[in-house]
Amino acid sequence: MEMRETILKFGEDLKNSAEKIAKGTIDTSKKMAEKAKIKRAISQAESSLNAAYIEIGKKYEELYGNKGEEEFAQLLAEIADARARIAASRAELAAVDSASLCANCGKYVQEGQKFCPHCGTKQENEPEAPVEPTETVVVDADGSEVANV
């Protein structure tokens, strides 16, 4: 009978331990979910804050451009430089696609289109430069020039 009681007590202890572990796991999961929810709220608020800062910066640059306060001069110069690099890269990308950029909206316009399909602005297509004829030299087997064509 003592063996039976020992086994029952061991079973009861095992059950209690399992319940504690399960409860701890559930509590930890709830806490982690709550932390994740709070962190998500913080992240969303920070994103809103950063978006507001960006809008303030854009508005300042639009209003003052190069006439801004001295402490903003470096940032305004960086903005101008970045815009120039972006424009050059967009033009380069358009050239790879045999397109150009609309002067009005900046979107791609395929070669030969007279109007931008995005904003309707008439495109000023530059006439292609005439191809200059190239000179061909005919050479015989010993390397002597035979003719100029």
Side-chain angles (χ1 to χ4, degrees):
M1 184 126 107
E2 214 174 278
M3 175 79 110
R4 181 171 185 245
E5 287 175 12
T6 304
I7 291 174
L8 287 174
K9 174 132 175 55
F10 178 74
E12 188 67 29
D13 290 344
L14 188 61
K15 176 185 165 202
N16 290 338
S17 293
E19 285 176 352
K20 280 183 182 178
I21 291 171
K23 185 175 179 340
T25 301
I26 290 170
D27 289 345
T28 301
S29 294
K30 284 180 181 178
K31 192 182 288 186
M32 287 176 63
E34 185 65 24
K35 284 173 66 175
K37 182 179 173 183
I38 293 168
K39 285 180 179 180
R40 189 174 339 109
I42 291 169
S43 179
Q44 288 172 339
E46 287 175 337
S47 291
S48 294
L49 181 63
N50 286 332
Y53 283 145
I54 289 169
E55 287 304 311
I56 288 170
K58 284 180 181 179
K59 183 56 84 178
Y60 183 91
E61 193 271 336
E62 286 173 9
L63 292 173
Y64 302 108
N66 292 333
K67 298 174 240 157
E69 299 290 324
E70 192 173 312
E71 57 265 8
F72 295 108
Q74 177 64 32
L75 293 172
L76 292 169
E78 288 176 24
I79 288 170
D81 183 52
R83 283 189 176 175
R85 287 193 321 267
I86 290 168
S89 295
R90 282 184 176 160
E92 189 177 338
L93 189 59
V96 169
D97 287 339
S98 296
S100 61
L101 296 176
C102 175
N104 184 50
C105 69
K107 294 192 178 177
Y108 290 115
V109 178
Q110 291 300 316
E111 189 176 306
Q113 286 185 316
K114 295 182 187 220
F115 296 92
C116 174
H118 306 283
C119 70
T121 301
K122 184 173 179 167
Q123 300 301 299
E124 300 295 327
N125 295 326
E126 296 178 15
E128 290 188 27
V131 178
E132 296 196 21
T134 57
E135 200 174 272
T136 305
V137 177
V138 179
V139 202
D140 66 7
D142 67 349
S144 305
E145 187 176 311
V146 178
N148 243 343
V149 183

